[in-house]
Amino acid sequence: MDTTLVYILGFGVLMSLIAVVGGLFIFLPEAILRRWVKPIVACAAGSLLVGAFVHMLPHALSAADDQLMMMLWVAVGFTAFFALDQLLEWHHCHLLPSEHVQPLGPLLLVADGVHNFLGGLAIGAIFLVDVRAGIAAWIAAALHEIPQEIGDFGAMVHAGYTRRQAILYNFISALTFPLGGLIAYGVGQGMNVHFLVALGAGNFLYIAGADLIPEVKRAERLRETGTRFVFFVLGVALLFVVTL
């Protein structure tokens, strides 16, 4: 089997398992969740920005005959996720369960499935371009998924699902991530997939800039602000370390 395909499948399934991990976090005391969810979100924001600017965009642009067109794909990726938020009237919330934005239930699962599929396409494409960059982008995406799954799991329990059902359905929804990776691999056998890398960069930029940073930039205490900024810098540093 092609080594690149093994990476895409392995990391794709591992991403799906994060849905289960997110569900387990909900068993922690709420005080601990309140303390650590926002710093994790800040860390994810920093890592996603570096993933887009350092690991994805350079690869997309280096192989582009028309760099303007490649940047247009970045804008398409950004706009597509904005449209997804608006169309489904659901925000990729990373807050505590009691703060999660509705609607809930099936709509949440559909939105998660689409989100994971597009993420799988992007990560699969960058694995085809450069395995090391693919691992870095996967790390950034995984850091984003953990707090998201905590919120999604809590929202589904609040909507009436049992904990077991919430974990199972979240996992099934997350299987669209390796599916997206497989489709990217298949497409990559017959054509240049750098446009999917650019599309993924736009995805990362939207999630970091429009979704995550607004959630963590304001805090009631100066200490909380400082902690979140430190975790943001840690996210940036983590993805730079992977670059070395």
Side-chain angles (χ1 to χ4, degrees):
M1 183 181 290
D2 187 347
T3 304
T4 303
L5 179 58
V6 173
Y7 274 110
I8 291 173
L9 279 175
F11 280 94
V13 172
L14 191 57
M15 184 69 80
S16 299
L17 292 175
I18 290 178
V20 178
V21 174
L24 297 178
F25 270 99
I26 206 69
F27 292 100
L28 293 173
E30 186 169 326
I32 294 178
L33 286 177
R34 287 187 178 277
R35 182 177 179 181
W36 290 108
V37 166
K38 291 295 181 68
I40 294 173
V41 170
C43 183
S47 65
L48 286 169
L49 286 175
V50 176
F53 285 120
V54 176
H55 293 282
M56 302 180 82
L57 279 175
H59 283 291
L61 294 174
S62 66
D65 296 326
D66 186 345
Q67 292 193 344
L68 180 61
M69 181 60 65
M70 198 60 67
M71 292 305 296
L72 180 60
W73 277 110
V74 176
V76 169
F78 189 100
T79 305
F81 268 77
F82 176 61
L84 180 63
D85 270 350
Q86 297 288 17
L87 180 64
L88 298 174
E89 296 182 355
W90 174 73
H91 193 271
H92 287 296
C93 182
H94 305 79
L95 304 179
L96 295 175
S98 60
E99 299 171 320
H100 203 287
V101 179
Q102 296 190 24
L104 305 173
L107 184 56
L108 181 62
L109 290 171
V110 170
D112 245 357
V114 174
H115 166 82
N116 289 322
F117 176 75
L118 294 175
L121 276 177
I123 302 298
I126 197 167
F127 266 113
L128 286 171
V129 174
D130 184 284
V131 169
R132 193 171 176 181
I135 293 173
W138 184 91
I139 291 172
L143 286 172
H144 155 64
E145 285 297 315
I146 292 172
Q148 176 182 314
E149 293 299 341
I150 294 173
D152 288 351
F153 180 84
M156 292 182 67
V157 171
H158 179 68
Y161 292 93
T162 67
R163 292 178 184 270
R164 181 176 297 180
Q165 287 175 326
I167 291 176
L168 176 61
Y169 294 152
N170 264 353
F171 175 70
I172 293 173
S173 172
L175 288 176
T176 56
F177 188 96
L179 175 62
L182 281 174
I183 290 176
Y185 179 83
V187 171
Q189 304 311 300
M191 62 183 293
N192 188 311
V193 295
H194 284 78
F195 76 97
L196 288 178
V197 178
L199 194 76
N203 166 4
F204 276 30
L205 291 174
Y206 177 82
I207 294 172
D211 215 7
L212 304 188
I213 291 177
E215 289 187 12
V216 300
K217 69 179 183 179
R218 293 187 179 88
E220 295 179 358
R221 299 182 180 87
L222 181 60
R223 181 178 178 181
E224 291 177 350
T225 300
T227 299
R228 294 174 191 179
F229 180 76
V230 168
F231 272 78
F232 178 88
V233 173
L234 284 175
V236 170
L238 175 62
L239 267 288
F240 267 114
V241 168
V242 177
T243 308
L244 299 178

